[in-house]
Amino acid sequence: MSIRFTAMARRGTVALLVAAGMAVATGCGSGSDNKADKPKTSSSASQSTGSNPSAQEGQSETPLAELKGTDGLLLQVTSAQRDSGGFVTVNGDIKNDGADSVVIPAQVSGDETEITKHGFSLGGATLVDSKGKKRYYVLRDTDGRPLTSTGITNVDAGQTIPVFMQFPAPPADTTEVTLQLPTFSSGTVKISG
């Protein structure tokens, strides 16, 4: 009887390990997708509900740069983080300091057909490395969609919307770049990480 119990216990253990392995593999796969979608979800959630999830963070942190746009729009850059995968992710907030709702200019999406065919985005943004004399454009996924916040077409008076943009990383010895976004002023940003 103990031999049969041991064989059943082994089968149960193997089944448990296989199920645990599948759960971990599934969790890892969706975790990486969620990381890429998280900023986009935050942006659209803020836009549709009018909530201001990053207002407390923005009040406690001094922005790295402020880029002034048209009609009271302001892009406040809160971080520019280099990661080990060779990317730089720029995070910030688009604010409307004006008294009226403002439509974000279409030029912010850029003029590349591959990017604009996917709708409104911050795909026109670039990082300029004056030291290395190079310009870095927003990264795209395999379908040509820009790795930026998307779908933000207007900003209500007083509203703040969190945004992100992802670029190829300049060389490790480049610590400052200039962020450019069409219709906004340029700003120098220090890269961390």
Side-chain angles (χ1 to χ4, degrees):
M1 181 156 309
S2 64
I3 293 173
R4 197 163 43 173
F5 175 76
T6 304
M8 288 174 51
R10 281 188 198 143
R11 281 189 293 238
T13 303
V14 169
L16 181 61
L17 289 174
V18 169
M22 290 175 63
V24 169
T26 303
C28 288
S30 65
S32 65
D33 291 344
N34 288 342
K35 183 177 179 184
D37 291 341
K38 190 172 185 177
K40 182 168 50 172
T41 303
S42 297
S43 295
S44 62
S46 295
Q47 181 186 8
S48 62
T49 63
S51 67
N52 193 358
S54 64
Q56 293 165 344
E57 290 174 13
Q59 290 172 358
S60 65
E61 294 178 19
T62 303
L64 297 177
E66 289 189 345
L67 286 63
K68 292 185 179 182
T70 57
D71 300 321
L73 287 178
L74 182 68
L75 172 59
Q76 292 183 321
V77 178
T78 56
S79 70
Q81 183 72 36
R82 184 187 305 267
D83 77 12
S84 60
F87 309 110
V88 169
T89 302
V90 176
N91 291 296
D93 297 308
I94 289 185
K95 295 176 66 175
N96 179 356
D97 284 341
D100 298 315
S101 181
V102 176
V103 174
I104 296 188
Q107 295 93 324
V108 172
S109 293
D111 58 6
E112 292 182 52
T113 306
E114 186 67 24
I115 289 179
T116 58
K117 75 179 185 181
H118 294 289
F120 183 85
S121 71
L122 303 178
T126 59
L127 290 182
V128 177
D129 172 10
S130 56
K131 179 181 173 184
K133 297 182 176 23
K134 291 190 176 179
R135 178 183 304 267
Y136 298 91
Y137 293 90
V138 167
L139 290 168
R140 302 174 198 166
D141 68 12
T142 54
D143 293 325
R145 287 185 294 268
L147 299 180
T148 71
S149 298
T150 59
I152 306 165
T153 55
N154 62 25
V155 185
D156 294 333
Q159 185 179 19
T160 300
I161 300 174
V163 295
F164 82 100
M165 297 158 268
Q166 210 168 41
F167 302 90
D173 62 342
T174 299
T175 57
E176 283 191 351
V177 290
T178 301
L179 176 63
Q180 297 178 335
L181 185 64
T183 74
F184 283 77
S185 62
S186 299
T188 301
V189 176
K190 186 170 180 117
I191 299 173
S192 61

